[in-house]
Amino acid sequence: MLSELSELKGVSGAEQEIRRYLTEKLNAASLKVNTDSMGNLLVRKGNKNSRLMLAAHMDEVGLMIMGFEKNGLLKFSPVGGLDHRILPGKRVIIGNDNLLGVIGVKPIHLQKKNEQEKPFEPESLFIDAGFKNSEEAEKYIVPGDYVSFSASFAELETGIYRGKAFDDRVGCYILLKLLLEDNGLSFSAAFTVQEEIGTRGAAVAAFALNPSEALVLEATAAADTPGTRTEESSTALGKGAVISIMDRTIIISRKLREELTALAENNAITYQYRQFTGAGTEGGVISLSRSGVETAVVAVPCRYIHSPHSIACEDDINAAFKLVKAWL
C-alpha cells in the first residue's frame, strides 16, 4: 500500500487520486467514509462517541502551470515548500492527461561564471513537454494544471525504501493500516487536504470531528547526512518513531508527550525526540480548534522530504505504527 500511495499524484488542491484510492480500500472494509466540502476524507472506527482524532495529510508538494513561452516551453510556480535548487533535470507529469515533461534550465555551456556560482531563480526554470510553440501547448494544457514529479517506489536495501511524497503518504499508510486492521480500537480519522500550503484541510476537519485529543501522523526531515552537525540534526533514519516536542505551529501537549514516551519505553518501541526546526505541522490548527484540543505529533524520519525522492526505513514506520496503536 505504501508503494501505491507513493506513486499516486496528489499535489495540494488536487488530492482526488489519493482520496479515491483510500475510499476504495475503506469501503471494501465496510467502513463509512465521508468527504467534506474541502475534500478531506473523514472516517469513524468503532465507538462513534470516541473523541480521539488521528490526522494524516494526503497532499504533496508540486508545481502549477502559469503560462507559456512562445516556443512552447511552460512557465510554472511551486505549490508548497520546494527547494528550487533541486528542480533542474527532474521528470514531471502534467495535468489530468499525464503528459510527460522535464524541468529545464539554461545549459551550463551558455552560463556566465556568476550564473554558475549561484542557484537558479525559479523564474529562470521552465518545463519542456516537447511542444513546438505556445499554440500547440495550449491545445493540451491550460494555466492552473497541476504538475507532479515522476518518480517510482523502490526498495534500495532490505527495509530501506525510496519514493515520492513520503511526506505524508507514510502517515496515510499508517492511518489506513489502523483503520483496516481488526483491532477493536475506536477513533476518528481525517485524511486531510492542502497541508503543504497552510494546513487548511486539518482546520476544517478538526472543527467537524470536535476531538478532545489528537495525534498528527507525519513524515519529518531526517537530518543525518554529511555536513549536518549532531546538534542540528532533528531526527535520524533507523532510530525509531519520532515524538515531537514543539514545532513552528505548536508546543506539544506535555500530557500526551509523556504518555507516548512511557508507552514506547514500556512496549520496547524504539523512539527519538524531534528537535525543533522551522517546519510546522497540522498540530497547530488542530490544537486551536473550537475550545482547544490536546495534540501531539508522531512522525517517521525521512531523508530528502519535499523532493522527488525520499528515503524511509521500514523499522521506523513499524515503530510509529506500534506507538500510535499502543496510545489508542
Side-chain angles (χ1 to χ4, degrees), residues 275-296:
Q275 297 184 46
F276 176 76
T277 69
T281 64
E282 294 179 313
V285 295
I286 293 173
S287 70
L288 296 174
S289 183
R290 297 199 185 215
S291 58
V293 181
E294 287 203 81
T295 306

Side-chain angles (χ1 to χ4, degrees), residues 41-67:
L41 203 61
L42 307 179
V43 192
R44 290 194 185 272
K45 181 179 175 72
N47 187 338
K48 66 180 181 180
N49 295 319
S50 171
R51 295 190 64 205
L52 303 180
M53 174 185 177
L54 300 186
H57 67 88
M58 295 183 284
D59 60 313
E60 64 189 279
V61 296
L63 311 170
M64 183 180 284
I65 299 298
M66 302 305 292

Side-chain angles (χ1 to χ4, degrees), residues 5-255:
L5 284 165
S6 169
E7 293 185 350
L8 292 172
K9 298 183 300 176
V11 178
S12 301
E15 299 91 350
Q16 57 270 14
E17 284 190 16
I18 317 301
R19 190 165 49 245
R20 189 181 308 119
Y21 174 90
L22 294 169
T23 299
E24 289 174 357
K25 292 284 187 184
L26 294 166
N27 284 343
S30 300
L31 288 165
K32 186 178 179 180
V33 178
N34 175 51
T35 302
D36 68 17
S37 59
M38 282 282 291
N40 297 310
L41 203 61
L42 307 179
V43 192
R44 290 194 185 272
K45 181 179 175 72
N47 187 338
K48 66 180 181 180
N49 295 319
S50 171
R51 295 190 64 205
L52 303 180
M53 174 185 177
L54 300 186
H57 67 88
M58 295 183 284
D59 60 313
E60 64 189 279
V61 296
L63 311 170
M64 183 180 284
I65 299 298
M66 302 305 292
F68 311 95
E69 299 286 357
K70 289 183 179 180
N71 61 359
L73 299 176
L74 311 177
K75 301 176 183 178
F76 66 85
S77 287
V79 179
L82 274 170
D83 182 351
H84 60 266
R85 294 172 298 179
I86 69 168
L87 294 178
K90 299 300 186 295
R91 296 182 299 171
V92 294
I93 301 171
I94 310 162
N96 294 329
D97 294 329
N98 296 328
L99 300 176
L100 301 180
V102 64
I103 299 174
V105 71
K106 183 194 291 188
I108 193 169
H109 311 78
L110 302 180
Q111 296 171 24
K112 296 183 173 68
K113 185 176 181 180
N114 67 314
E115 292 178 302
Q116 297 177 18
E117 293 173 347
K118 61 181 181 180
F120 289 106
E121 296 299 323
E123 52 269 20
S124 69
L125 304 175
F126 50 83
I127 294 174
D128 190 340
F131 298 117
K132 298 183 180 69
N133 50 54
S134 59
E135 290 78 13
E136 186 179 59
E138 289 170 352
K139 293 178 183 178
Y140 301 93
I141 296 172
V142 296
D145 277 348
Y146 282 95
V147 180
S148 60
F149 295 113
S150 175
S152 59
F153 180 94
E155 187 169 15
L156 302 182
E157 289 292 335
T158 303
I160 303 296
Y161 302 126
R162 178 201 72 198
K164 174 180 69 67
F166 283 173
D167 178 14
D168 184 31
R169 304 293 157 70
V170 70
C172 292
Y173 166 75
I174 291 170
L175 185 48
L176 181 59
K177 277 189 68 176
L178 287 164
L179 287 164
L180 297 179
E181 189 179 75
D182 184 13
N183 49 31
L185 299 173
S186 296
F187 61 96
S188 294
F191 296 95
T192 59
V193 298
Q194 298 186 38
E195 189 270 354
E196 298 292 1
I197 55 173
T199 62
R200 298 174 181 178
V204 174
F207 187 92
L209 295 175
N210 190 22
S212 59
E213 296 178 310
L215 288 189
V216 174
L217 312 183
E218 258 288 9
T220 192
D224 55 356
T225 49
T228 304
R229 295 182 299 176
T230 303
E231 61 270 24
E232 295 175 339
S233 181
S234 55
T235 68
L237 210 69
K239 292 191 176 181
V242 177
I243 301 172
S244 286
I245 299 172
M246 67 177 287
D247 63 40
R248 179 171 47 80
T249 63
I250 184 175
I251 297 175
I252 300 301
S253 160
R254 179 174 290 274
K255 170 182 172 289

